Amino acid sequence: ILYRQQRAMARSAKSYSFEVTDNVPYKKIYEVLRWNIEHGCESVRSLNSLISTGQYPSLVRDCEKRYNEEIRLAAEDVIGRRRNIRIAIIAGPSSSGKTTTTIKLGEYLRKNGINLKTINIDNYFHDLDKHPRDEFGDYDYERPESLDLALINRHLVKLLDGEPVKTPHYDFKTGTRALNVHPLSLGKNEILLIDSLHGLYDGMTSSIPQKNKYKLYIETLGQFRSEDGTFMRWADNRLLRRMIRDASHRNLKPIQTLTHWHYVRRSEIKNIIPFLKHTDFIINSALPYELPVLKRYLFKYVSEARHRFADDPKRLDAHIRANRVYDLLKPLLNVKSERCIPSDSLLREFIGGSRYKY
């Protein structure tokens, strides 16, 4: 089934609609599948064909155009509701691309005369030694309660009342937080942007009336088939991104990210996905062209994990995930150069080389 992308993108933001059934936005993922089919990037075989015939740069441009167009539609929706909105929340599971999406949404809104301020919710983490540890010494910091929710709500109320605050600063490499570091204030006609894993969680912004909040959800809603015909799991896409990011910014080895991932998934299923039905807009951040790039960075670690955890029943989760990702990535052709990936691409948030500061 072929899909004409312009039909979807031509709709105004006001008429943008979706249904969430069983916590799955079926209409949205069906559109993603049809877009992938039309652009010849719905499977390992089709993607390899684009790479081998020199069409990979064109795919990069098309994917970036689609993603940026979705952000434009979301921004126009915010503009249409500007009268009541004081806070715009960009939420979604780990490594879905919330930070880049927040930056791009802010750029578009500023171009249309809306002034913004951004609050970094990651700075509200409790000190790492306050989080529970498992038998391997790993911390579970994926729960909403890992954040100082009470302080977040106090600061949000003050900001919307026109009072200045000083937000904390969290050092991920040391796992410690310093209070009263970053001055922040919100003008009467400004919107506060929140980029947070748990942005849809009720306790995050319970002190703010619903009419004053705009909730945008972002997820890697990729519809991409492996060599045996099974679809790649969205969480596997994000796992690969996070393995790179954690190694670069959080002093964690890719294998450590893999073994921690069961905490990520448990929290997503309990604290993120159930709130999907309450969002105002959904953005698909999956970029089919990213998979060969992720393979180049991570394939050796995935291969290593398959062997390391093969006979360890306590690492069964990591072993299953490593095998599944290995089977997906193995037949993908390599990409000779990443130069065709623009400096403002969402993928640059993970592989580096972005013009944005994270």
Side-chain angles (χ1 to χ4, degrees):
I1 301 172
L2 294 179
Y3 171 60
R4 295 190 178 279
Q5 182 197 15
Q6 52 267 41
R7 284 186 59 194
M9 295 308 184
R11 292 178 300 182
S12 68
K14 290 183 180 180
S15 66
Y16 180 89
S17 64
F18 58 88
E19 271 188 51
V20 177
T21 306
D22 300 325
N23 294 323
V24 178
Y26 287 106
K27 179 180 177 182
K28 180 71 175 179
I29 63 175
Y30 184 54
E31 291 178 352
V32 173
L33 175 60
R34 294 196 292 180
W35 190 95
N36 285 3
I37 291 172
E38 184 179 67
H39 291 80
C41 58
E42 81 283 3
S43 67
V44 168
R45 177 177 296 181
S46 61
L47 184 54
N48 279 345
S49 177
L50 292 179
I51 295 172
S52 62
T53 56
Q55 299 179 69
Y56 181 79
S58 295
L59 175 63
V60 172
R61 288 192 295 271
D62 288 341
C63 289
E64 292 294 330
K65 181 179 179 181
R66 177 205 57 76
Y67 165 67
N68 285 309
E69 181 66 7
E70 290 194 25
I71 293 175
R72 183 188 68 80
L73 288 176
E76 290 185 355
D77 198 22
V78 172
I79 293 169
R81 307 186 197 190
R82 177 67 186 90
R83 185 173 182 179
N84 291 320
I85 293 174
R86 296 300 314 282
I87 296 177
I89 300 168
I90 292 80
S94 178
S95 299
S96 54
K98 296 181 294 297
T99 304
T100 300
T101 301
T102 300
I103 294 172
K104 287 179 173 288
L105 182 68
E107 286 179 339
Y108 193 92
L109 291 175
R110 288 187 184 93
K111 288 179 181 177
N112 285 270
I114 296 180
N115 295 319
L116 305 159
K117 290 286 178 62
T118 301
I119 186 169
N120 186 350
I121 296 297
D122 282 353
N123 282 326
Y124 287 85
F125 273 114
H126 291 294
D127 287 351
L128 197 58
D129 60 11
K130 295 181 181 179
H131 303 309
R133 301 178 72 174
D134 62 17
E135 60 184 300
F136 302 104
D138 191 12
Y139 293 95
D140 179 7
Y141 48 82
E142 303 296 337
R143 305 168 303 147
E145 293 79 13
S146 297
L147 294 160
D148 193 338
L149 298 176
L151 182 60
I152 292 172
N153 276 276
R154 288 200 300 272
H155 281 183
L156 292 180
V157 169
K158 286 186 176 182
L159 288 169
L160 267 61
D161 286 342
E163 298 180 36
V165 301
K166 285 189 175 182
T167 66
H169 178 79
Y170 191 83
D171 187 330
F172 279 98
K173 292 193 174 182
T174 64
T176 57
R177 179 182 64 165
L179 295 173
N180 303 316
V181 177
H182 304 290
L184 181 63
S185 60
L186 191 66
K188 185 177 181 180
N189 296 317
E190 291 181 320
I191 289 179
L192 184 67
L193 282 179
I194 296 178
D195 155 18
S196 175
L197 182 72
H198 298 297
L200 301 183
Y201 181 69
D202 287 339
M204 172 76 71
T205 58
S206 57
S207 60
I208 307 302
Q210 291 296 329
K211 68 177 183 178
N212 298 138
K213 296 182 284 191
Y214 184 87
K215 297 179 178 180
L216 185 151
Y217 183 81
I218 182 167
E219 169 65 287
T220 49
L221 300 172
Q223 297 297 290
F224 185 83
R225 289 182 288 115
S226 62
E227 202 170 43
D228 65 3
T230 59
F231 281 94
M232 181 184 188
R233 299 195 183 195
W234 304 338
D236 287 346
N237 193 164
R238 294 186 285 99
L239 166 62
L240 293 171
R241 289 177 175 180
R242 179 155 165 174
M243 288 170 74
I244 298 174
R245 187 193 68 185
D246 282 356
S248 300
H249 302 291
R250 298 194 175 182
N251 201 29
L252 292 174
K253 296 178 181 179
I255 296 294
Q256 291 176 291
T257 301
L258 175 64
T259 56
H260 179 83
W261 196 247
H262 65 286
Y263 283 134
V264 175
R265 291 298 293 143
R266 183 177 68 183
S267 181
E268 290 172 356
I269 292 169
K270 180 181 178 181
N271 301 309
I272 299 177
I273 295 174
F275 298 96
L276 176 56
K277 64 187 71 175
H278 302 303
T279 192
D280 296 297
F281 202 98
I282 297 177
I283 286 180
N284 167 35
S285 69
L287 304 166
Y289 77 78
E290 73 182 286
L291 298 177
V293 178
L294 296 176
K295 176 184 177 180
R296 187 171 74 83
Y297 282 87
L298 297 167
F299 193 65
K300 65 178 181 179
Y301 299 106
V302 173
S303 181
E304 176 190 342
R306 291 175 68 239
H307 298 292
R308 180 189 295 191
F309 304 131
D311 299 317
D312 187 349
K314 294 182 179 180
R315 293 300 195 188
L316 180 60
D317 180 86
H319 184 242
I320 291 173
R321 294 183 193 280
N323 274 314
R324 189 169 61 229
V325 172
Y326 177 88
D327 290 339
L328 174 80
L329 296 180
K330 187 174 186 293
L332 276 175
L333 295 178
N334 294 321
V335 175
K336 295 180 180 179
S337 173
E338 300 171 7
R339 286 181 296 179
C340 60
I341 302 174
S343 61
D344 65 346
S345 171
L346 178 148
L347 186 56
R348 293 288 182 189
E349 179 179 334
F350 303 96
I351 66 172
S354 177
R355 70 177 177 87
Y356 299 130
K357 294 183 179 180
Y358 297 110

